[in-house]
Amino acid sequence: MKGVQFLVAFVLLALASKLVSASDPSPLQDFCVAINDTKDGVFVNGKFCKDPKLAKAEDFYLSGLNIPGNTSNQVGSMVTPANVQQIPGLNTLGISLVRIDYAPYGGLNPPHTHPRATEILVVVEGTLYVGFVTSNMDNRLFTKVLHPGDVFVFPEGLIHFQFNIGHTNAVAFAALSSQNPGVITIANAVFGSDPAINPDVLAKAFQLDKNIVNQLQSRFWWDNN
Amino acid sequence: MKGVQFLVAFVLLALASKLVSASDPSPLQDFCVAINDTKDGVFVNGKFCKDPKLAKAEDFYLSGLNIPGNTSNQVGSMVTPANVQQIPGLNTLGISLVRIDYAPYGGLNPPHTHPRATEILVVVEGTLYVGFVTSNMDNRLFTKVLHPGDVFVFPEGLIHFQFNIGHTNAVAFAALSSQNPGVITIANAVFGSDPAINPDVLAKAFQLDKNIVNQLQSRFWWDNN
Amino acid sequence: MKGVQFLVAFVLLALASKLVSASDPSPLQDFCVAINDTKDGVFVNGKFCKDPKLAKAEDFYLSGLNIPGNTSNQVGSMVTPANVQQIPGLNTLGISLVRIDYAPYGGLNPPHTHPRATEILVVVEGTLYVGFVTSNMDNRLFTKVLHPGDVFVFPEGLIHFQFNIGHTNAVAFAALSSQNPGVITIANAVFGSDPAINPDVLAKAFQLDKNIVNQLQSRFWWDNN
Amino acid sequence: MKGVQFLVAFVLLALASKLVSASDPSPLQDFCVAINDTKDGVFVNGKFCKDPKLAKAEDFYLSGLNIPGNTSNQVGSMVTPANVQQIPGLNTLGISLVRIDYAPYGGLNPPHTHPRATEILVVVEGTLYVGFVTSNMDNRLFTKVLHPGDVFVFPEGLIHFQFNIGHTNAVAFAALSSQNPGVITIANAVFGSDPAINPDVLAKAFQLDKNIVNQLQSRFWWDNN
Amino acid sequence: MKGVQFLVAFVLLALASKLVSASDPSPLQDFCVAINDTKDGVFVNGKFCKDPKLAKAEDFYLSGLNIPGNTSNQVGSMVTPANVQQIPGLNTLGISLVRIDYAPYGGLNPPHTHPRATEILVVVEGTLYVGFVTSNMDNRLFTKVLHPGDVFVFPEGLIHFQFNIGHTNAVAFAALSSQNPGVITIANAVFGSDPAINPDVLAKAFQLDKNIVNQLQSRFWWDNN
Amino acid sequence: MKGVQFLVAFVLLALASKLVSASDPSPLQDFCVAINDTKDGVFVNGKFCKDPKLAKAEDFYLSGLNIPGNTSNQVGSMVTPANVQQIPGLNTLGISLVRIDYAPYGGLNPPHTHPRATEILVVVEGTLYVGFVTSNMDNRLFTKVLHPGDVFVFPEGLIHFQFNIGHTNAVAFAALSSQNPGVITIANAVFGSDPAINPDVLAKAFQLDKNIVNQLQSRFWWDNN
């Protein structure tokens, strides 16, 4: 009998830690602190949350955004995130933050989109050439060279990039209008998808020789996020 | 005196046709029929609308989606839209439609995103290889070969494409969850932007020789929308 | 001991298949593929979803919209749906599709509302007299006769209908701005509710003799959806 | 020269009073007090607003909801509104109020929908039989008899009614989740539209003899709002 | 073996009653009736709901808003709520109601905000001095003296109050644009928080002697909600 | 004739600069760059925007967030904003940024709410004691001491503060989930409103002697925003 009670308690406990990944766009209570994802789970739009009575200050806290990201990689940049994956208290609240480090002489945060967020970036150190491209027909490029204290906006869903054109490290903080903004690095999604897109599609779309497409598809595509 | 009256009338008239391009996400009245854009105008999020008393059935109507689009172009496809630009009554209502024609043996609706809409497509004629790629880190490719009567969904903001792998014309209708979904054709926005993106950015991001980037940037990029 | 482990596994599995029917309006991740409803379940606004890692192309796919619906019924029409019930990948994405077939000489999609969606319809075959009515005070009727390739819009929440005035079958595709738009067929909801509305209410509201109301309430009301 | 100045001033003034009817769903400032509609105007989703510096307490105020509505009419009820038409300060704020009076022995607020709002009603006086019907397929009727102090909810978009089954006047206050909820009185929209719906549509949809439809369409349909 | 089956059933049952508190902003079905909160539970944004087939009229119903609230307390007022905690059918529907009673000669609903709702109030009995204050820089006060039948609006998020300046009881009904609007009574949150805010913060912010702050922080702060 | 043309041009120009302050929550085009406010104007929810063809990179840009704010004031802190007032390109995009400077030994960003935004803050320099208070009944205080690189979240609508407990300047960047989040400094709105709130209300609400209320109401209340 005791065994049964223990088992029931155990299962309920297992369950509590199992129902992960679910919340939503506009908060319906003061906060709804996310519970960590589970492997065998059921999900919701956003994240499941824990009992608000159990919320604590640590749920709204993260340390470490003073530590430079390692930029020794293919693109020479690193994005350190502070979104709902790192700060469960952000769940349902519609905002997040990143620190971005760029190596000197060409550190690049390559062309990408955030499918669910606008980005506002402030430069803390270094010199960045930044830009975004509008949608069809015009595909206008808006660019600016940014110095410390400069702010720039990348509207939701548009392709954008930042490029370190200085000879020192560059550092920026950027805020995003979603607790889970998502990132689509264009080159990675197009040439590095798993499995690969039919190369005829890419050769025609990008006006590239099919051999070059095949080469690109066999390369490694680093994700700096 | 008459001149003054005439002038006032003229200015009000000019104004009425001038206040263009403004409405919004969730309707706050039965409908809010858009007024056409003006050259010298003031705008709002969405479109300005006309007096609801002046709305007529034609504002909610469009003809011509039975006419095949001309696919004699670089990519071998043509998108014929029925959104708020063509049907002013769609303003504020959050939905639109397109007809897509694909030339035989390789007509391609090239990789693109809709920054403000999910797409649901139904094939009316022909055989299409279609797919979308998820965001980072995984960049998983979801594909399917579609035949007449088959339906496929492309989630909001994700890169997707359709490719005619049959030896006949292909035709599809697709609906989008916005009256003004927007289109970003990836290759056009990246290699055909105006002005051009710094080629160092694209060479590094796409792991391409800078000469190839320069060649691509000098090409013509057809917009099939 | 093994039995206990097995039991825990079993319960977790049972749970996974049990938590059904829940998601929401604006996607907070790339997608959130719905899990089928359960009988003993807990629900959420929208639908619960499965682990995104388990999503597959089939979740975004449906076949069969090339097959004519059976119009041998009371109203002479049939709606074949492609919404979140048929395509779990539509969950959270805010759009759906239907095929509508109309019998010749009077096939009718009777006056109804979608409480959560605007509809945009394109005629593929035949001739339809379509219309919608605005809200109080004016209750203006907007109508149009549609031929193949014609498009018409029915704004969210308004009463609307389509009527085959031609001597051939008619076919249309219609998109709706919700993954679960809902349908309220006016006559069915008013005269065919379960249980019946107090006939005094309907006699007064519709200026009908109470005997006629009683007759109407005893009839069968076909749901063409 | 003075004439020109006068003219400019006059045109700007005309403009200010002309830009009517436009705001939106979620407030982007403390408030956005509506300006009254104009005859020659340009509109927006919702209402245009006045300079917030000119807002005054009266913009958020209405008197008179203590005065019984006149129920000497076809349906024996009267709805006295307090929405954005009466209280301009409600613009963008997503809520409104009504007082409803019901004549003794059968005063009826006939079956209707609010296309943009849920309703919550509290009875102040009298006895009401109230109900709503769910959407297809089930069309379930939910009813309750209400006494003073009783509260009932009518979910957004569903057909609902209130009926005075007592021998005294009845009075209720009801709140709606929109500053402009809209009302569609079912019988009025179906049988009293302007112009009339093709009677073949209504005869088939409501299983009524066409003569009865013609009679109904020639009647007067009182709007109690 | 039977014991195992029983155990599984028991756990599933326990689960069903355990998954509480979760739904969301815009309904995705006719309704989504909330299930009561549990102690050991998992939560979602809003509330979990029960199987729609099990919904009944009582879920949309509450009685007792005719009963005066007890105003024999520190502030001389009492708020009787009718929100999603009392009426589970309100879940996802974005509206709620309260009755407010005020003692004669100074009954006060003290300065507070609703973080998620605009309020519209109608006076049923008595005389109220009401007001709200706009945000920085101006902090303008909008006030009005209200009599029976008078209506006033308190925009979302702004500090507001009602004060009985008459010599009789006062009664009002107020509707709020959320099923769970939340209340922050300013004095209680600032001086009565648990644990107490560092008194140096409050002394500086409120220009008060630290002794007075300490006194205030040791007092009892009545919550009239 | 030329005079008339000039006049028309002049009026249209006047109009263009006059239609100010209007946009909205969810973008319906790539961007909708705000036009500056005017004195004699008509407004919309959000801001009016300029012709997208006239948008330029400067509309999405601001410099100066590297410059320390002047903290020589009553509360010892200064907020330097980067919202839609400073960056017109933020209009409709739902995000903004601030830099906050705090004087050593007690620089305070006093208790306040943002009625339309959640805040996420990252410390760049110094040591801050920060906190927020939940809504009724509990009014729980969540606090944390933050060092450089630490991040904290203040959920939408809740009262929160930051206090420099170190002996050096402190600096933070904070992002807000609205292009126009609004600020309500509690002490300023309660004791510094214009005109003053009836002191009987504040004496009762804050359990303060009326003389103290009168004194507080006669003081100057610095707005650090």
Side-chain angles (χ1 to χ4, degrees), chain A residues 18-35:
Chain A
K18 166 179 172 295
L19 289 178
V20 266
S21 195
S23 103
D24 91 26
S26 174
L28 294 168
Q29 54 287 308
D30 285 358
F31 44 69
C32 191
V33 176
I35 301 177

Side-chain angles (χ1 to χ4, degrees), chain E residues 146-170:
Chain E
L146 304 182
H147 303 282
D150 287 0
V151 175
F152 203 74
V153 176
F154 306 102
E156 182 166 340
L158 301 190
I159 298 177
H160 62 287
F161 60 87
Q162 301 107 32
F163 190 50
N164 185 352
I165 57 172
H167 50 279
T168 64
N169 287 317

Side-chain angles (χ1 to χ4, degrees), chain E residues 52-131:
Chain E
K53 292 195 186 71
L54 304 179
K56 51 190 195 306
E58 280 68 27
D59 293 326
F60 300 91
Y61 168 78
L62 182 73
S63 66
L65 253 54
N66 54 328
I67 303 172
N70 180 357
T71 61
S72 303
N73 57 51
Q74 212 171 50
V75 293
S77 74
M78 178 58 78
V79 178
T80 307
N83 61 41
V84 71
Q85 304 299 338
Q86 291 81 32
I87 308 181
L90 279 175
N91 195 26
T92 77
L93 296 180
I95 199 163
S96 59
L97 212 63
V98 295
R99 173 193 170 118
I100 318 177
D101 289 273
Y102 311 82
Y105 302 109
L108 174 67
N109 192 7
H112 62 284
T113 68
H114 302 293
R116 291 178 295 278
T118 288
E119 178 176 342
I120 182 169
L121 176 146
V122 58
V123 178
V124 169
E125 191 183 321
T127 307
L128 292 173
Y129 161 77
V130 307

Side-chain angles (χ1 to χ4, degrees), chain C residues 74-75 108-113 133 159-161 163 184-192 202 205-206 208 212-222, chain D residues 111 159 185-193 197-210 212-214 216-217 221:
Chain C
Q74 210 171 50
V75 292
L108 173 67
N109 192 7
H112 62 283
T113 68
V133 181
I159 298 176
H160 61 287
F161 60 86
F163 189 52
I184 300 174
T185 303
I186 298 300
N188 299 20
V190 170
F191 295 106
L202 299 183
F206 286 85
L208 283 170
I212 295 184
V213 169
N214 286 332
Q215 279 174 40
L216 290 175
Q217 290 190 318
S218 67
R219 294 238 172 90
F220 173 72
W221 296 91
W222 170 261
Chain D
I159 298 177
T185 303
I186 299 300
N188 299 19
V190 170
F191 294 107
S193 73
I197 294 173
N198 178 334
D200 290 336
V201 166
L202 300 183
K204 189 165 208 167
F206 285 85
Q207 304 194 50
L208 282 170
D209 188 275
K210 203 167 158 184
I212 295 185
V213 169
N214 286 332
L216 290 175
Q217 290 190 318
W221 296 90

Side-chain angles (χ1 to χ4, degrees), chain F residues 28 73 82 116 141 143 153 175 187:
Chain F
L28 295 168
N73 57 50
R116 291 179 293 280
L141 174 69
T143 58
V153 176

Side-chain angles (χ1 to χ4, degrees), chain B:
Chain B
M1 206 51 187
K2 252 193 160 168
V4 171
Q5 286 173 359
F6 167 81
L7 182 55
V8 171
F10 179 84
V11 170
L12 290 178
L13 211 77
L15 184 75
S17 67
K18 165 179 173 298
L19 289 179
V20 267
S21 196
S23 103
D24 89 29
S26 174
L28 294 169
Q29 53 288 308
D30 285 358
F31 44 68
C32 191
V33 177
I35 303 177
N36 287 324
D37 280 7
T38 74
K39 288 295 175 295
D40 52 6
V42 171
F43 292 72
V44 295
N45 192 19
K47 297 266 184 190
F48 281 105
C49 355
K50 64 174 173 179
D51 188 335
K53 293 195 184 70
L54 305 179
K56 49 192 197 305
E58 281 68 25
D59 293 326
F60 300 90
Y61 169 78
L62 181 74
S63 67
L65 253 53
N66 55 328
I67 303 170
N70 180 355
T71 60
S72 304
N73 57 51
Q74 212 170 51
V75 292
S77 74
M78 177 59 78
V79 178
T80 307
N83 62 40
V84 71
Q85 304 299 338
Q86 291 81 33
I87 308 180
L90 279 174
N91 195 26
T92 78
L93 297 179
I95 199 163
S96 58
L97 212 65
V98 294
R99 173 194 169 117
I100 318 178
D101 290 272
Y102 312 82
Y105 302 108
L108 174 67
N109 191 8
H112 63 284
T113 68
H114 302 292
R116 292 178 294 280
T118 287
E119 178 176 341
I120 181 168
L121 176 146
V122 57
V123 176
V124 170
E125 190 183 322
T127 307
L128 294 173
Y129 160 77
V130 307
F132 67 82
V133 181
T134 66
S135 64
N136 301 0
M137 310 276 301
D138 295 338
N139 299 132
R140 270 188 297 156
L141 175 68
F142 287 67
T143 58
K144 200 81 187 163
V145 172
L146 304 182
H147 302 281
D150 287 1
V151 176
F152 203 73
V153 176
F154 306 102
E156 181 166 343
L158 301 189
I159 297 177
H160 62 286
F161 61 85
Q162 301 107 32
F163 189 51
N164 185 352
I165 57 172
H167 49 278
T168 65
N169 287 317
V171 182
F173 287 109
L176 296 131
S177 60
S178 167
Q179 71 263 22
N180 184 26
V183 182
I184 300 175
T185 303
I186 298 301
N188 299 19
V190 170
F191 294 105
S193 73
D194 174 24
I197 294 174
N198 178 334
D200 290 336
V201 166
L202 299 183
K204 189 166 208 166
F206 285 85
Q207 304 193 51
L208 282 171
D209 188 275
K210 205 168 155 183
N211 288 332
I212 296 184
V213 169
N214 286 332
Q215 278 174 40
L216 290 175
Q217 290 190 317
S218 67
R219 292 240 174 89
F220 173 71
W221 296 91
W222 170 260
D223 180 355
N224 72 336
N225 284 274

